[in-house]
Amino acid sequence: MGFIKLWRPKALYLNLSRQTRGKQKWGITLLNAFPKKIRIFDTTLRDGEQTPGVSLTPDNKLRIAKSLDKLRVDVIEAGFPAVSEGEMEAVKLIAKEGLKAEICSFVRGTKSDIDVALKCDTQSVHLVIPTSDLHLQYKLKKTREEILKLVEESVQYAKDHGLVVELSAEDATRSEFNFVKEFFAKGISLGADRICPCDTVGVLTPEKSYKFFSDMRKTFKDIIISAHCHDDFGMGVANSIAALRAGAHQVHATINGLGERAGNAALEEIVAALKLIYGVKLPIKTELLYRTSTLVARLTGVPVQPNKAIVGENAFTHESGIHTHAILSHPLTYEPISPEFVGVTRRLVAGKHAGSHGIRASLEKIGLHPTDEQLKEISMRVKTLGDKGKKITDADLLAVAEAVMGLPQTSPIKLEELTVVTGDRVTSTASVRLKLNNKVVSEAATGLGPVDAAINAVRKAILVVEPINLEQYHVKAITGGTDAMVEVIVRLRRGDRTATAMGVREDIVMASVEAVLSGMNVLMADYHKRGHK
Amino acid sequence: MGFIKLWRPKALYLNLSRQTRGKQKWGITLLNAFPKKIRIFDTTLRDGEQTPGVSLTPDNKLRIAKSLDKLRVDVIEAGFPAVSEGEMEAVKLIAKEGLKAEICSFVRGTKSDIDVALKCDTQSVHLVIPTSDLHLQYKLKKTREEILKLVEESVQYAKDHGLVVELSAEDATRSEFNFVKEFFAKGISLGADRICPCDTVGVLTPEKSYKFFSDMRKTFKDIIISAHCHDDFGMGVANSIAALRAGAHQVHATINGLGERAGNAALEEIVAALKLIYGVKLPIKTELLYRTSTLVARLTGVPVQPNKAIVGENAFTHESGIHTHAILSHPLTYEPISPEFVGVTRRLVAGKHAGSHGIRASLEKIGLHPTDEQLKEISMRVKTLGDKGKKITDADLLAVAEAVMGLPQTSPIKLEELTVVTGDRVTSTASVRLKLNNKVVSEAATGLGPVDAAINAVRKAILVVEPINLEQYHVKAITGGTDAMVEVIVRLRRGDRTATAMGVREDIVMASVEAVLSGMNVLMADYHKRGHK
């Protein structure tokens, strides 16, 4: 019946995109006036860096710029060079790197800002001048006439110095539209190359954005029009896409949706929607999206929430039984985007909502093959743990399975004693005594702090028997007091196998040791090797 | 000239909402067909709890249900009682609490699921049966005829037992529309009270959502229609609002946008946009939004990213000089939403992008009044620190200001010695020797772990001189290895004054002590008291 063919990922996406381009499933034609070439103007390093509390060193800015270039964005707004010496250095560094993307400096409507940009030698400037009465009166204390004068002087000056000029009207969406038009007409008459009416405080809606940019297109026919949307009401991405649908040529976006307040429209979301839902061709290398997101999160220190679209750690993770069962049968049932598209892999996790299919899949990975009856009991016990509010790791799943299947509880490693000394005038030192398959092993180690010392001692003791690596060590943010619960999650690797485990205590040292030992126990319970059926 | 009047917050919002309701600023009428009463169906405790890794105890589910009720949502989907014993207990507990909201159980199209819901005594069931060929073939392995039979049996059964029935077509937006219509017609004929075509994998766009729900409204005139949107492409909120604009009566949403994969549409964003942008009346007590968000984040363990709309910690925080300057002159310039609306307060922070106006405001809070010349120098030095990638706390700002203003560097407290012993068979114990205004103080204390012991010792030593409280202790998530940098941020209070400070080390004990001592130094540098001008 050719059904499976119809539901190949590619077919699905094409199918979706055809719907939006021509006749729709529900009988109407949608008016998509996408331009031939859509341009991505990345502002992670400018508006994104303005995120409160974020400061990047010039070196780190360069690293991010390089990864944006690999992603193939069209423009990299490298920074606001007038803001500080270091920022100027950073922009200069990026400009002379010889990247494919156009490198752009943010400037206000003053000669001095443009002079600093010239020193940085960027190809273009993003020249921003406000147009709303609110900004004119309370921020600049200027009249509309004075604003037009600013436009005249600064565009003229920038063009005279050979710069590509993208002229932005700040707070355009709360400005009188006639004045916005006058503002841009003036800029264009003096040679501005691109224009951008900004939704500075994110008050657009998709329908308003569509209308607004349709009007812009009708008024300004021969120039690149750009959209700059903020996410204050959670609609930054939809508003950006609406602008493109109305014929805007370019969108401003940031990785992870960084930016002032609730941030800018997220680049990864715009790109995924354009490609997969609207079937638009874009040169963006989407398989680098996850990697880029991780780099930006790490260097800026701004975490991505697990339930963030496209790049959140849960975007391709499934727990609920209904979902994992279906995913195992056909991923598209609950995955509108294939993990490979973004450059990640799918994760199935056990938990209160898990069903037996997902749990069987997880157990088979560690070499356990429960009967149907046993599987039912294991699922039930996992749910019971979940009911108590527990997050289920590989270590928990193994313990439950062993109990149900009547296998001897795997616990070849037992902590007999741990002592750590630390302070400001003493090298952190730990001694540990472990029982390893009934043999007592003692080791001591130093480290950078008490946790490092303790884990070093444990690893040294184990290394005698098993080459196990600590691949990931993660401590959940601790909030409350110094006696708050600390949750440590680790992933350990031995050869091609990994195991996750967790430790929860008020004491970060003991929580870390608990997690590492519990993960080591999973890896040493090698049912594959033992040939268990 | 009556200008200020025009820009009162209220006037702005009304102004915006009028635009979308009647004649728009740009000359067209937008078709908003909002129903008279918009209903909020909260699914934080069901779809939200299905977030991988989240398991709530019955007690915690009840706490969240109560806070949702205070928020005044119309329906609380309390859980999926058939999933586990504990979940059933939780739903039962919530149902008998006597809350104002309708309490609802999630059920599949089986009598056994409905029986469990009946045991829980909820008023309604959210009865979910798939309609897409993909789900029929790969998940349920059933034909369309069999699906209609399921609808018939389960709706009939639920109605016979006196339940309010909200019938959902799972994956409706990837289903053949004629079949979706047939599905709902069947359900309605048997007494279903509300219908909900689900955008299960978040593939709608605002324009498709508008069209889809317009068609639904035309087909089903006398029944409550609900939208259930996921956020896989970052458009869940816009899609939900588009559905309401097309006449849908109800939206499903979750606090913090929790839910499977990228989550569901975020309740707080939908509510804020409806109220402030569309001028729609809703009984939701928005001033409780932030508090509810924090509670849900804490109990589920899923953090909210700083740049999340409405409830993110940066949504009302400003660093950039251009922004803080304007905000101090008139908040609406860069704040589309007033912090009070959500129940938070605005924060201004210093940093690389800060301007002198924001820095002066921060210094005046600690009693320092630099001259214009000094202020310029302080701003420059803050920027230099920022260029090095440093996050600026009150302690940093004070140190810079003192240096520039020629005041003796405040450092009445100096750490002379700290030793901590910890382990699994020893009570964590710390001894500390501090120099306090040139007097040496020694103290020892125990604690739950080495950090707690160290800070207890420090506090005990200080207490002799100053009653300072550790109000907030926050450790940023640690990722990497056990030797990764640990960033500790504290907020201390002495009377009505607070100070933030930070410690960064590879060692969590030393980072914590550093942060606390540095914050204590700020509080003891009381320029107000000293009457400095």
Side-chain angles (χ1 to χ4, degrees):
Chain A
M1 64 189 269
F3 189 77
I4 294 173
K5 229 173 171 180
L6 180 70
W7 286 109
R8 278 176 325 185
K10 218 169 159 190
L12 172 69
Y13 301 138
L14 289 179
N15 190 29
L16 277 169
S17 70
R18 265 203 304 273
Q19 285 173 29
T20 61
R21 282 205 158 159
K23 278 277 175 194
Q24 212 200 26
K25 221 175 208 173
W26 308 288
I28 58 143
T29 304
L30 290 173
L31 304 164
N32 280 347
F34 285 119
K36 257 195 189 145
K37 153 119 183 102
I38 288 175
R39 299 165 51 96
I40 307 286
F41 178 109
D42 182 280
T43 178
T44 308
L45 295 173
R46 202 274 303 169
D47 218 343
E49 206 205 355
Q50 278 175 227
T51 300
V54 172
S55 273
L56 294 163
T57 60
D59 277 355
N60 284 341
K61 289 195 86 152
L62 180 61
R63 284 183 67 184
I64 293 176
K66 281 182 182 170
S67 77
L68 291 170
D69 199 49
K70 276 194 198 138
L71 199 59
R72 298 264 183 93
V73 304
D74 297 277
V75 184
I76 296 173
E77 188 174 23
F80 178 9
V83 88
S84 75
E85 278 295 320
E87 180 77 348
M88 199 179 98
E89 280 319 307
V91 176
K92 213 183 261 180
L93 203 63
I94 294 168
K96 74 174 182 205
E97 183 65 23
L99 301 177
K100 280 200 192 74
E102 171 191 317
I103 308 299
C104 179
S105 290
F106 176 93
V107 296
R108 291 165 297 187
T110 67
K111 283 187 186 173
S112 63
D113 273 18
I114 297 169
D115 283 336
V116 181
L118 285 167
K119 275 191 213 155
C120 295
D121 207 18
T122 57
Q123 288 137 275
S124 61
V125 286
H126 177 208
L127 169 57
V128 181
I129 297 172
T131 50
S132 71
D133 290 339
L134 192 56
H135 277 223
L136 265 54
Q137 188 181 9
Y138 290 102
K139 196 175 74 170
L140 289 193
K141 298 180 178 52
K142 285 196 191 302
T143 63
R144 290 185 179 179
E145 291 63 41
E146 289 169 313
I147 290 294
L148 293 177
K149 190 84 191 145
L150 270 189
V151 171
E152 190 174 324
E153 288 168 4
S154 50
V155 174
Q156 187 72 63
Y157 189 73
K159 289 312 298 177
D160 284 351
H161 289 80
L163 288 161
V164 170
V165 173
E166 175 151 342
L167 176 64
S168 270
E170 190 181 14
D171 207 18
T173 52
R174 292 193 297 177
S175 306
E176 196 195 302
F177 194 51
N178 282 332
F179 180 60
V180 173
K181 287 198 276 192
E182 201 180 342
F183 173 98
F184 284 131
K186 170 71 81 182
I188 293 168
S189 75
L190 292 154
D193 302 275
R194 303 191 294 258
I195 56 175
C196 178
C198 297
D199 187 27
T200 303
V201 293
V203 292
L204 278 184
T205 64
E207 64 277 12
K208 278 202 246 176
S209 179
Y210 188 90
K211 175 68 184 119
F212 185 95
F213 284 93
S214 295
D215 287 355
M216 285 290 296
R217 283 301 298 138
K218 270 176 225 152
T219 313
F220 303 104
K221 293 197 200 319
D222 301 311
I223 191 159
I224 289 176
I225 298 175
S226 192
H228 176 102
C229 298
H230 276 267
D231 200 38
D232 292 81
F233 290 94
M235 293 191 281
V237 168
N239 294 339
S240 302
I241 292 176
L244 294 171
R245 289 182 55 238
H249 309 82
Q250 179 177 279
V251 284
H252 289 196
T254 59
I255 298 292
N256 299 343
L258 286 183
E260 295 275 0
R261 305 182 311 280
N264 292 61
L267 187 146
E268 59 278 8
E269 297 174 9
I270 294 177
V271 166
L274 286 176
K275 281 203 161 191
L276 299 180
I277 296 194
Y278 291 95
V280 165
K281 285 214 172 77
L282 278 179
I284 299 290
K285 296 222 165 290
T286 63
E287 65 278 16
L288 299 177
L289 282 175
Y290 183 74
R291 216 175 301 173
T292 314
S293 159
T294 310
L295 179 75
V296 170
R298 191 157 52 81
L299 297 184
T300 59
V302 181
V304 172
Q305 69 192 18
N307 55 323
K308 159 92 173 61
I310 314 295
V311 294
E313 105 189 31
N314 283 348
F316 301 96
T317 303
H318 310 276
E319 174 189 314
S320 120
I322 300 175
H323 287 215
T324 44
H325 178 192
I327 290 256
L328 289 170
S329 157
H330 196 309
L332 264 186
T333 45
Y334 286 105
E335 262 178 7
I337 305 164
S338 74
E340 298 77 33
F341 178 82
V342 187
V344 292
T345 48
R346 177 185 308 129
R347 286 196 313 141
L348 302 183
V349 300
K352 162 169 147 185
H353 302 90
S356 49
H357 289 84
I359 289 179
R360 187 191 288 282
S362 300
L363 287 175
E364 281 176 353
K365 268 200 197 158
I366 53 173
L368 285 176
H369 304 272
T371 63
D372 286 355
E373 202 54 41
Q374 288 170 335
L375 184 64
K376 213 172 136 188
E377 175 67 20
I378 294 169
S379 305
M380 212 208 62
R381 293 204 195 176
V382 164
K383 282 169 191 292
T384 307
L385 279 175
D387 282 339
K388 291 182 185 145
K390 184 146 176 45
K391 187 182 267 183
I392 316 290
T393 62
D394 292 341
D396 303 309
L397 187 58
L398 177 67
V400 169
E402 286 176 333
V404 171
M405 297 169 72
L407 301 165
Q409 198 78 18
T410 324
S411 183
I413 317 174
K414 253 191 85 176
L415 179 65
E416 299 261 298
E417 196 195 284
L418 172 76
T419 314
V420 190
V421 179
T422 190
D424 73 326
R425 316 214 154 203
V426 50
T427 304
S428 299
T429 310
S431 68
V432 67
R433 199 168 73 224
L434 298 176
K435 217 174 198 170
L436 245 167
N437 296 322
N438 295 319
K439 218 182 85 191
V440 173
V441 191
S442 278
E443 272 297 349
T446 60
L448 298 165
V451 175
D452 197 41
I455 300 301
N456 285 346
V458 169
R459 287 160 79 183
K460 233 165 131 182
I462 301 287
L463 207 64
V464 197
V465 196
E466 295 283 349
I468 290 177
N469 283 319
L470 177 60
E471 203 171 57
Q472 224 176 63
Y473 172 81
H474 182 77
V475 182
K476 263 185 80 164
I478 307 168
T479 306
T482 51
D483 58 351
M485 276 288 174
V486 180
E487 195 177 308
V488 177
I489 297 164
V490 298
R491 193 173 66 212
L492 300 166
R493 174 177 294 274
R494 182 179 131 199
D496 60 350
R497 288 184 51 213
T498 63
T500 56
M502 185 161 69
V504 184
R505 299 277 194 112
E506 288 108 339
D507 172 350
I508 191 170
V509 175
M510 288 311 300
S512 304
V513 171
E514 184 176 287
V516 167
L517 289 180
S518 139
M520 285 178 166
N521 274 328
V522 178
L523 288 177
M524 292 176 74
D526 197 336
Y527 288 101
H528 284 291
K529 208 161 76 186
R530 294 198 216 158
H532 163 86
K533 279 279 138 104
Chain B
M1 63 187 268
F3 190 77
I4 294 173
K5 230 174 175 178
L6 180 73
W7 286 107
R8 278 178 323 187
K10 219 168 159 194
L12 172 68
Y13 300 139
L14 288 178
N15 191 29
L16 277 167
S17 70
R18 263 203 306 272
Q19 286 173 28
T20 61
R21 284 203 156 161
K23 277 278 175 196
Q24 214 199 26
K25 220 173 207 172
W26 307 291
I28 59 146
T29 302
L30 290 173
L31 303 165
N32 279 347
F34 285 120
K36 257 195 190 147
K37 151 121 184 99
I38 288 175
R39 298 163 53 96
I40 307 285
F41 179 110
D42 181 281
T43 180
T44 306
L45 295 174
R46 202 275 301 171
D47 218 342
E49 205 204 355
Q50 278 174 227
T51 301
V54 172
S55 275
L56 293 163
T57 59
D59 277 354
N60 283 341
K61 289 195 86 154
L62 180 61
R63 283 182 69 184
I64 294 176
K66 282 181 182 171
S67 77
L68 292 170
D69 199 50
K70 274 193 202 139
L71 200 59
R72 298 265 181 96
V73 304
D74 297 278
V75 185
I76 296 173
E77 188 173 24
F80 178 8
V83 89
S84 76
E85 279 293 319
E87 180 76 349
M88 199 179 98
E89 282 317 307
V91 176
K92 214 183 262 182
L93 203 62
I94 294 168
K96 75 173 180 203
E97 183 67 20
L99 301 177
K100 279 202 194 75
E102 172 191 313
I103 307 301
C104 179
S105 290
F106 177 92
V107 296
R108 290 164 299 188
T110 67
K111 283 186 185 173
S112 61
D113 272 19
I114 298 169
D115 283 336
V116 181
L118 286 167
K119 275 192 211 153
C120 295
D121 207 18
T122 57
Q123 287 137 276
S124 62
V125 287
H126 177 210
L127 168 57
V128 180
I129 297 172
T131 50
S132 72
D133 289 340
L134 191 57
H135 276 224
L136 264 54
Q137 190 182 6
Y138 290 100
K139 196 175 72 167
L140 289 193
K141 297 180 177 54
K142 286 195 191 303
T143 63
R144 290 185 178 180
E145 291 65 39
E146 289 170 311
I147 291 294
L148 293 177
K149 191 82 190 141
L150 270 189
V151 171
E152 191 174 325
E153 287 168 5
S154 48
V155 174
Q156 186 72 63
Y157 189 74
K159 288 312 297 178
D160 285 351
H161 288 79
L163 288 162
V164 169
V165 174
E166 175 149 344
L167 175 64
S168 270
E170 191 181 10
D171 207 18
T173 52
R174 292 192 299 176
S175 306
E176 196 195 300
F177 194 52
N178 281 333
F179 181 59
V180 173
K181 287 199 276 191
E182 202 181 339
F183 173 99
F184 284 131
K186 170 70 85 183
I188 292 169
S189 76
L190 292 154
D193 303 276
R194 304 192 291 258
I195 57 175
C196 178
C198 298
D199 187 28
T200 303
V201 293
V203 292
L204 278 184
T205 63
E207 64 278 11
K208 277 204 247 176
S209 179
Y210 188 90
K211 175 70 185 117
F212 185 96
F213 283 92
S214 295
D215 288 356
M216 284 290 295
R217 283 301 296 140
K218 271 176 221 149
T219 313
F220 303 104
K221 292 197 200 316
D222 300 313
I223 192 160
I224 289 176
I225 298 176
S226 192
H228 175 104
C229 298
H230 276 267
D231 200 38
D232 291 81
F233 290 95
M235 294 190 281
V237 167
N239 294 339
S240 302
I241 292 175
L244 294 172
R245 289 183 55 239
H249 309 82
Q250 179 177 279
V251 284
H252 290 194
T254 59
I255 297 292
N256 299 344
L258 287 181
E260 298 274 0
R261 305 183 310 281
N264 293 60
L267 186 147
E268 60 278 10
E269 296 174 10
I270 295 177
V271 166
L274 286 176
K275 281 201 159 192
L276 300 181
I277 297 194
Y278 291 96
V280 165
K281 284 214 172 76
L282 278 179
I284 298 290
K285 296 222 165 294
T286 63
E287 65 277 16
L288 299 178
L289 282 174
Y290 183 74
R291 214 175 303 174
T292 313
S293 159
T294 310
L295 179 75
V296 168
R298 190 157 53 81
L299 297 184
T300 59
V302 181
V304 171
Q305 69 192 18
N307 54 325
K308 159 92 176 61
I310 314 294
V311 293
E313 105 190 31
N314 284 350
F316 301 96
T317 303
H318 311 275
E319 174 189 315
S320 120
I322 300 174
H323 287 215
T324 43
H325 179 192
I327 289 257
L328 289 170
S329 157
H330 195 310
L332 265 184
T333 45
Y334 285 106
E335 262 178 9
I337 305 165
S338 74
E340 298 76 32
F341 178 81
V342 186
V344 293
T345 48
R346 176 185 308 129
R347 287 195 313 140
L348 302 182
V349 300
K352 163 169 147 184
H353 303 91
S356 50
H357 289 83
I359 289 178
R360 186 190 288 281
S362 300
L363 286 174
E364 283 178 352
K365 268 200 199 160
I366 50 175
L368 286 175
H369 304 269
T371 64
D372 286 354
E373 203 51 44
Q374 288 170 333
L375 185 64
K376 213 172 138 189
E377 176 68 19
I378 294 169
S379 305
M380 212 207 64
R381 294 206 193 174
V382 165
K383 281 169 192 293
T384 308
L385 279 175
D387 282 338
K388 292 183 185 145
K390 184 143 175 49
K391 186 183 270 184
I392 316 290
T393 61
D394 292 340
D396 302 311
L397 187 57
L398 176 67
V400 170
E402 286 176 333
V404 171
M405 296 170 71
L407 300 166
Q409 197 80 16
T410 322
S411 182
I413 316 174
K414 253 192 84 177
L415 180 65
E416 297 263 296
E417 194 195 284
L418 172 77
T419 314
V420 188
V421 180
T422 190
D424 72 327
R425 319 212 152 205
V426 50
T427 304
S428 299
T429 310
S431 67
V432 67
R433 200 169 69 225
L434 299 175
K435 216 175 198 168
L436 246 166
N437 296 321
N438 294 320
K439 217 182 88 192
V440 173
V441 190
S442 278
E443 270 296 348
T446 60
L448 297 165
V451 176
D452 196 41
I455 300 302
N456 285 346
V458 170
R459 286 160 81 184
K460 235 164 127 181
I462 301 289
L463 208 62
V464 197
V465 196
E466 293 285 347
I468 290 178
N469 282 320
L470 177 60
E471 202 172 57
Q472 222 176 64
Y473 172 81
H474 181 79
V475 182
K476 262 186 81 163
I478 306 167
T479 306
T482 50
D483 58 352
M485 276 290 175
V486 180
E487 194 178 307
V488 177
I489 298 164
V490 298
R491 194 174 66 215
L492 301 166
R493 176 179 291 276
R494 183 179 130 199
D496 60 349
R497 287 185 51 215
T498 63
T500 56
M502 185 161 65
V504 185
R505 298 279 193 110
E506 289 110 338
D507 173 351
I508 189 170
V509 175
M510 289 311 300
S512 304
V513 170
E514 183 175 288
V516 167
L517 288 180
S518 137
M520 285 177 166
N521 274 329
V522 178
L523 288 179
M524 291 175 72
D526 198 337
Y527 288 102
H528 284 291
K529 210 161 73 183
R530 294 198 216 156
H532 162 85
K533 279 281 137 111

